[in-house]
Amino acid sequence: MTGTPEKHDERGWVPDDGTFGARLALVRQRMGWGNVKEAAIACGLPVESWRSWERDGRTPQRIVETAALIAERTGCDYGWLLAGGRLRNRPNGGSVTEATTR
């Protein structure tokens, strides 16, 4: 059917966090921001910059400072936002990130 999303078995599904932009999209979703403009304003960043990082896959020139600011404003893990990683389960049922070398 055209226009109907395919059903997927969600067991084992892992979000893509392979790029800075993909991680930004995950942060934006987690924070409940409906669009890039909301996210950028909430983090005190230029809307066009956030858009180019998330949509176009560009990397911020000052990625260390940018990731620190976003982590501070959102509470996300700074190391994960900066470098990515893989998700693993905590014993209490929550999840944490574990940085991996690439």
Side-chain angles (χ1 to χ4, degrees):
M1 292 178 121
T2 306
T4 305
E6 293 181 33
K7 284 195 159 203
H8 291 91
D9 183 358
E10 297 207 9
R11 288 176 288 154
W13 179 84
V14 176
D16 171 21
D17 72 346
T19 66
F20 184 75
R23 292 187 295 277
L24 282 182
L26 291 170
V27 167
R28 183 170 52 79
Q29 288 177 332
R30 173 79 164 114
M31 297 301 293
W33 295 322
N35 58 51
V36 169
K37 183 177 181 179
E38 280 183 72
I41 291 170
C43 290
L45 294 164
V47 175
E48 285 306 315
S49 294
W50 189 296
R51 183 172 287 119
S52 73
W53 303 330
E54 186 177 324
R55 185 189 65 199
D56 301 333
R58 295 200 175 143
T59 302
Q61 289 180 343
R62 299 177 57 157
I63 191 167
V64 171
E65 293 87 354
T66 301
L69 176 63
I70 294 168
E72 180 183 307
R73 299 276 173 102
T74 64
C76 78
D77 184 85
Y78 166 75
W80 169 79
L81 184 58
L82 185 61
R86 61 184 172 88
L87 301 174
R88 64 179 169 83
N89 289 329
R90 282 185 181 175
N92 67 3
S95 66
V96 295
T97 58
E98 191 174 272
T100 58
T101 55
R102 295 178 189 229

